[in-house]
Amino acid sequence: MIVNVGDRVRITHGPHAYEGILMPLEGALKETYVSLKLDNGYNVGFSRDDVSIELLSEGRSFNATMPEVDIPYNEDLPDVAILGTGGTVASKIDYMTGAVYPAFSPEELLQLVPELAKIANIEGKEILSIVSEDITFSDWKGIGREVVRQYERGCDGIVVTHGTDTLHFTSSMLSFMLHNLPHPLVLVGAQRSSDRPSSDAALNLISAVNFAGTDCREITVCMHADMNDDYCYVHRGTRVRKFHTSRRDAFTTINGRPLAKVPGSGPIEYLSAYRRGSNPKEDLSLDTGLEERVALVKTYPTASDIVAHLVDKGYRGIILEGSGLGHTPHTLHEEIRRGVEEGVVFGMTSQCVHGRVNMNVYRDGRILKEMGVIPLGDMLAETAWCKLSWVLGHASDYEDVRSEMLRDVAGELDPVSRIDAYNVCR
Amino acid sequence: MIVNVGDRVRITHGPHAYEGILMPLEGALKETYVSLKLDNGYNVGFSRDDVSIELLSEGRSFNATMPEVDIPYNEDLPDVAILGTGGTVASKIDYMTGAVYPAFSPEELLQLVPELAKIANIEGKEILSIVSEDITFSDWKGIGREVVRQYERGCDGIVVTHGTDTLHFTSSMLSFMLHNLPHPLVLVGAQRSSDRPSSDAALNLISAVNFAGTDCREITVCMHADMNDDYCYVHRGTRVRKFHTSRRDAFTTINGRPLAKVPGSGPIEYLSAYRRGSNPKEDLSLDTGLEERVALVKTYPTASDIVAHLVDKGYRGIILEGSGLGHTPHTLHEEIRRGVEEGVVFGMTSQCVHGRVNMNVYRDGRILKEMGVIPLGDMLAETAWCKLSWVLGHASDYEDVRSEMLRDVAGELDPVSRIDAYNVCR
């Protein structure tokens, strides 16, 4: 049976049958795979050899060409570069098939989100194409280098689109790698792809581009603020965390307030103090010295074996995500003690997520602190992991590493706890 | 120099000096240790050999005897057993020295919190004395056995006091170990010990004892609801998590609503459906078949080595705390695949904490699911770790383990997501 892209089909795979619209695939994939857009909006892919396909109804013929868009350069608007790393936020849709493509030419971006033309002159570039859980140290260095190139080229702000799984790792890592930003660097993602009616892609992207035109000199994350489609929050890159698997307002500032509220292209409302001003372009520096042998270990009752193994494998730093104020079960104490003796640096954060470690209160905390475990205050575990990689990239003496870990570099460490930073409504 | 308990002293330890009130110590400890109550309310302990002690001013003489309390038995009130495991919630204070002692005779408990006499006939028993991060499988079995003994003795409800670090692990583990509760079982802790002005101990304990007199047949956690001292929330034992290092309202129900609001000894307001009724005492069962070789692994970008090592060490089950909808970096895929081949059971939860895993949406999730990783819906990672220990204590066939992990046993798994279960006010 001949079926075409856009047709409604039934695909039978073993005992299961799936109905939906046949989607286009690019390049070599289309020889071996078929892809189906289900009625619930999700896509499913199958190996061609494993399925039988039945035509249910013919679709309209598929037209992949886009109408042309005229984009006059507007001297009054900032020049913003949009760098794609593989998230779903900057993607274009064929509304007949529901297929999602990355969209990175200025024409494509403006077809996708025409409102961008009102707030910035847009340049787009796809620099990576990964699912974000697979991001590596080499990817972070590549993003950093491209950011420097774009600033040197003369743009007034940069937006990086990114998958949401590890968006906060990337915003943290870049916060330690890039110093003296001349202009804003805003990371943005989308929890739901642009082909779903509830997509957050457009508002997030417009808000991010809007914020990229400000005088903020920090690395930030811009995402939906609540369940409505009204505005986004801009979060400090070292203070933010993905805190829900699927909601559009999944990203939350922990132990602090967001920096700003951005209603798409509307006026920005600042909520917290932020680093601003104009750094001369020549002061910008990129620091790619990262230690890759760093681990993150969340403890649990009776936990053992893991730390000893990482020490044996030659890891140089381990961030512990301990319980409460910064404790581990005693079953880990000897492993940690041996690690410290062998020169491994341990930092303590809390799996409570909110609050700060205090290793002076209880005996277990004092024991670990006396061993040499560094209490990392109110730093997030994910941020601490990034920071330890960066610090160990430059220092090896324990006291040097310790003092760097306890120095606030990018807003990751605050000696004062804010009373309004844990307002969970139940 | 002769110093006495209650004196204000300066203790010098290496380069550091500490001022405060010298505290009493019990038994053999007082031969080798000294304990100091600092002005900030915390206690610090020192080895006698390491310090020099200087008298600053003499205290009043220390009187450890308590005034007698007359406790008439009230037939209209429920009999509630309070079992202590080592938390700070049930402790008595000498207000001159600030020393904290466990308080477990009915007399002591009523001296500590006289209001308890109005709502229950109290029996107290210290069954363990541990810091909660050190809790073990053997401790959980011991608590379970004591709970059964107390129900058999005829009490109408049980309150277990517990340190807060792992309170939610214990409430989860007991939820899988104890079946057909004839009466309530309420776990309670305190974030701040009774000698601090802001202590939550009294309200938490009164509210827990109050709730222990209800018809709820679930294992619950009762803790402060907000920053005021007005009421507590009762959380389902498998749905709760310590979510702040120090705040009194640190415990939060995740992916759901608390079961009830309890204003100390006042009228209880129910917020959610709960398991109720009267199970005959003979239906109560305690199940101590727990597999101890289970691990919890939180993933991070580039993570590797850890899973392979746990497989090699003979672990039988591993709960992954993956990113987003249930993903791991590809660097772990082969380790997981080998683990599955060697019979290790993997369950997937999300480090987003809120929401639910869905391993059908993205390719990485589908790959892991096809390998055999079990997607655990909206189950908390800590709860999943407890449940896997319990399930592997009884089943070894993969399909049996899988179907047990996906069966809701104690409210830990809900097919429906609640819209009001993630109302973070920023």
Side-chain angles (χ1 to χ4, degrees), chain A residues 31-64:
Chain A
E31 305 302 320
T32 45
Y33 282 93
V34 289
S35 180
L36 194 68
K37 167 73 61 185
L38 302 177
D39 295 336
N40 65 11
Y42 286 125
N43 299 343
V44 197
F46 301 92
S47 178
R48 283 204 174 224
D49 296 341
D50 297 346
V51 298
S52 62
I53 306 181
E54 178 190 349
L55 179 68
L56 297 176
S57 60
E58 282 184 26
R60 288 172 294 132
S61 68
F62 177 65
N63 178 5

Side-chain angles (χ1 to χ4, degrees), chain A residues 33 42-45 88 131-137 140 165-166 168-169 190-193 224-227 233 235 241-247 249-253 255 257-258 292 294-306 308-310 313 315 321-331 333 350-358 360-366 370 381-382 385 418-426, chain B residues 13 33 42-45 88 131-137 140 165-166 168-169 190-193 224-227 233 235 241-247 249-253 255 257-258 292 294-306 308-310 313 315 321-331 333 350-358 360-366 381-382 385 418-426:
Chain A
Y33 282 93
Y42 286 125
N43 299 343
V44 197
T88 56
V131 289
S132 79
E133 61 268 30
D134 280 345
I135 198 154
T136 63
F137 289 92
W140 284 317
D165 270 36
T166 62
H168 47 304
F169 280 94
Q191 286 280 85
R192 301 183 192 163
S193 62
H224 254 59
D226 60 22
M227 292 186 73
Y233 278 135
H235 307 273
R241 187 187 201 288
K242 185 170 182 178
F243 223 25
H244 197 284
T245 54
S246 59
R247 278 176 61 130
D249 55 347
F251 280 76
T252 306
T253 291
N255 292 334
R257 297 263 299 155
E292 302 191 7
V294 286
L296 174 61
V297 173
K298 175 171 170 169
T299 70
Y300 54 92
T302 74
S304 63
D305 297 329
I306 300 174
H309 179 65
L310 293 169
K313 289 287 278 188
Y315 279 74
E321 201 176 312
S323 61
L325 292 165
H327 307 132
T328 76
H330 67 274
T331 41
H333 284 191
S350 177
Q351 59 194 245
C352 293
V353 186
H354 304 93
R356 64 178 61 242
V357 299
N358 182 343
N360 303 316
V361 177
Y362 294 107
R363 185 161 175 272
D364 182 59
R366 291 197 298 272
E370 275 165 29
E382 294 79 2
W385 179 81
R418 292 182 56 108
I419 200 107
D420 59 353
Y422 176 66
N423 293 318
V424 180
C425 305
R426 298 169 184 94
Chain B
H13 178 254
Y33 282 92
Y42 287 125
N43 299 343
V44 197
T88 57
V131 288
S132 79
E133 61 268 30
D134 279 346
I135 198 154
T136 63
F137 289 92
W140 284 317
D165 270 36
T166 62
H168 47 304
F169 280 94
Q191 286 280 84
R192 300 183 193 163
S193 62
H224 254 59
D226 60 22
M227 292 187 73
Y233 277 135
H235 307 274
R241 187 187 201 289
K242 185 170 182 179
F243 224 25
H244 197 284
T245 54
S246 60
R247 278 176 61 129
D249 55 347
F251 280 76
T252 306
T253 291
N255 292 334
R257 297 264 298 154
E292 302 191 7
V294 286
L296 174 61
V297 173
K298 174 171 171 170
T299 70
Y300 54 91
T302 74
S304 63
D305 297 328
I306 300 174
H309 178 65
L310 293 168
K313 289 287 278 188
Y315 278 74
E321 201 175 312
S323 61
L325 292 165
H327 308 132
T328 76
H330 67 274
T331 41
H333 284 191
S350 177
Q351 59 194 244
C352 293
V353 186
H354 304 94
R356 64 179 59 242
V357 299
N358 182 343
N360 303 316
V361 177
Y362 294 107
R363 185 161 175 272
D364 182 59
R366 291 198 297 271
E382 294 79 4
W385 179 82
R418 292 182 57 108
I419 199 107
D420 59 353
Y422 176 66
N423 293 318
V424 180
C425 305
R426 297 169 184 92

Side-chain angles (χ1 to χ4, degrees), chain A residues 33-211:
Chain A
Y33 282 93
V34 289
S35 180
L36 194 68
K37 167 73 61 185
L38 302 177
D39 295 336
N40 65 11
Y42 286 125
N43 299 343
V44 197
F46 301 92
S47 178
R48 283 204 174 224
D49 296 341
D50 297 346
V51 298
S52 62
I53 306 181
E54 178 190 349
L55 179 68
L56 297 176
S57 60
E58 282 184 26
R60 288 172 294 132
S61 68
F62 177 65
N63 178 5
T65 62
M66 291 279 180
E68 286 193 13
V69 181
D70 186 33
I71 326 159
Y73 185 84
N74 185 335
E75 293 209 348
D76 297 333
L77 296 180
D79 297 342
V80 173
I82 300 183
L83 307 178
T85 68
T88 56
V89 57
S91 46
K92 68 181 197 290
I93 319 297
D94 176 76
Y95 281 103
M96 189 188 55
T97 63
V100 183
Y101 303 86
F104 282 99
S105 75
E107 292 79 7
E108 287 171 330
L109 283 165
L110 291 172
Q111 279 164 347
L112 178 66
V113 189
E115 205 168 350
L116 292 178
K118 291 190 227 155
I119 52 173
N121 300 299
I122 298 294
E123 289 269 354
K125 185 173 181 184
E126 190 176 16
I127 59 172
L128 270 179
S129 181
I130 54 165
V131 289
S132 79
E133 61 268 30
D134 280 345
I135 198 154
T136 63
F137 289 92
S138 147
D139 295 330
W140 284 317
K141 294 174 192 176
I143 297 171
R145 280 188 289 263
E146 185 61 34
V147 164
V148 170
R149 268 193 291 273
Q150 292 293 334
Y151 283 135
E152 284 175 350
R153 197 176 59 78
C155 76
D156 301 311
I158 297 176
V159 169
V160 175
T161 70
H162 198 289
T164 55
D165 270 36
T166 62
L167 183 54
H168 47 304
F169 280 94
T170 296
S171 63
S172 261
M173 198 62 97
L174 292 177
S175 297
F176 298 114
M177 292 169 68
L178 286 159
H179 297 266
N180 304 316
L181 287 192
H183 296 292
L185 173 54
V186 190
L187 279 78
V188 64
Q191 286 280 85
R192 301 183 192 163
S193 62
S194 323
D195 58 326
R196 296 179 63 186
S198 63
S199 174
D200 48 342
L203 181 69
N204 291 356
L205 194 57
I206 296 165
S207 302
V209 169
N210 187 0
F211 197 76

